[in-house]
Amino acid sequence: MDIDIDHQALVEAFIELVNEPDDGRRRAGIEALFTEGAEYCDPDVRVEGREELVGHLARLRASFPPGVTFSLTGAVDGHHAQARFGWAFGEQGAPFLDGTDVALFEGTRIKGVYAFSNAA
């Protein structure tokens, strides 16, 4: 039997975590949202497990210039235990990077995020 997954809410929670400036709140969110062995992979990095994800997102967040965040570019397209979503990175209304991610779910938690940017 399939679990009813709210793809939109889970992906929105992920984007909020990436943008979260407080290390403690980010860590707590990762522990609540991701499976223990969750994987995150983009063209520059692959991490596995919550602890590696905590470290990666802390480094990523520390690199954000002031006023720069990630945002969704539309509705999340999900079915079964997977979803894809578009994102933009930059100041509100003036992103300088965008892309598409795929997320995989286990129950009501994220077990993987695979990021693709449209960088040249």
Side-chain angles (χ1 to χ4, degrees):
M1 179 162 102
D2 286 335
I3 294 174
D4 189 26
I5 298 171
D6 187 342
H7 302 94
Q8 185 75 36
L10 290 170
V11 170
E12 286 175 0
F14 167 65
I15 295 294
E16 287 175 20
L17 281 177
V18 175
N19 290 324
E20 175 58 58
D22 182 85
D23 289 339
R25 286 194 297 261
R26 190 179 328 102
R27 174 181 285 280
I30 288 168
E31 290 174 1
L33 185 62
F34 285 85
T35 63
E36 180 63 38
E39 179 179 38
Y40 173 85
C41 186
D42 68 29
D44 298 320
V45 68
R46 180 186 174 274
V47 298
E48 189 171 342
R50 289 182 190 143
E51 279 306 307
E52 288 187 17
L53 185 57
V54 165
H56 172 65
L57 290 185
R59 289 185 298 277
L60 179 66
R61 184 66 182 95
S63 73
F64 286 15
V68 172
T69 60
F70 279 93
S71 60
L72 291 174
T73 58
V76 174
D77 180 21
H79 63 83
H80 297 85
Q82 59 204 356
R84 66 179 172 175
F85 55 96
W87 53 265
F89 181 66
E91 293 182 13
Q92 179 113 13
F96 54 85
L97 184 64
D98 65 354
T100 303
D101 288 8
V102 174
L104 301 179
F105 306 94
E106 186 174 285
T108 58
R109 291 184 178 218
I110 297 173
K111 75 174 184 177
V113 176
Y114 306 92
F116 300 84
S117 73
N118 293 324

